[in-house]
């Protein structure tokens, strides 16, 4: 009986499939920005791409926060790409 309770608690701590897909999507966008930043020697794109790749590790299982922060980082990278 105790094992079933522990198992349901552990399953509740796992991220949702939506969270995983969105974090992979932002990771791919971050990888692309990082590569472009390295090729063009644009430090803003390079470090912004790294931030976009690794920020999901700092956010818990909150999908809304993941989308908000990722969208904000993508908007910053969009405006920083020309400067």
């Amino acid at each position: 009986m105790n094992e079933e309770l522990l198992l349901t608690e552990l399953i509740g701590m796992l991220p949702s499939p939506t969270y995983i897909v969105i974090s992979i999507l932002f990771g791919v966008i971050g990888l692309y920005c990082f590569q472009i930043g390295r090729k063009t020697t644009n430090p803003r794109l390079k470090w912004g791409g790294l931030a976009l790749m690794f920020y999901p590790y700092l956010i818990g299982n909150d999908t809304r926060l993941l989308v908000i922060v990722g969208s904000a980082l993508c908007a910053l990278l969009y405006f920083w790409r020309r400067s």
Side-chain angles (χ1 to χ4, degrees):
M1 187 70 174
N2 230 357
E3 294 171 356
E4 292 176 8
L5 182 62
L6 179 64
L7 183 62
T8 56
E9 251 183 66
L10 288 175
I11 289 174
M13 290 173 40
L14 290 174
S16 68
T18 306
Y19 181 90
I20 294 171
V21 169
I22 291 173
S23 63
I24 289 173
L25 176 71
F26 282 132
V28 169
I29 293 170
L31 179 65
Y32 176 74
C33 289
F34 177 74
Q35 289 178 346
I36 295 299
R38 274 187 29 198
K39 285 181 185 177
T40 61
T41 63
N42 187 345
R44 287 182 175 177
L45 272 180
K46 182 171 68 172
W47 291 107
L50 275 175
L52 197 57
M53 282 190 285
F54 291 112
Y55 87 94
Y57 294 107
L58 302 176
I59 295 177
N61 288 338
D62 191 6
T63 307
R64 287 178 287 161
L65 186 60
L66 179 79
V67 171
I68 291 169
V69 173
S71 299
L73 283 173
C74 284
L76 272 174
L77 289 173
Y78 178 76
F79 291 117
W80 281 348
R81 67 188 162 108
R82 296 285 180 207
S83 57

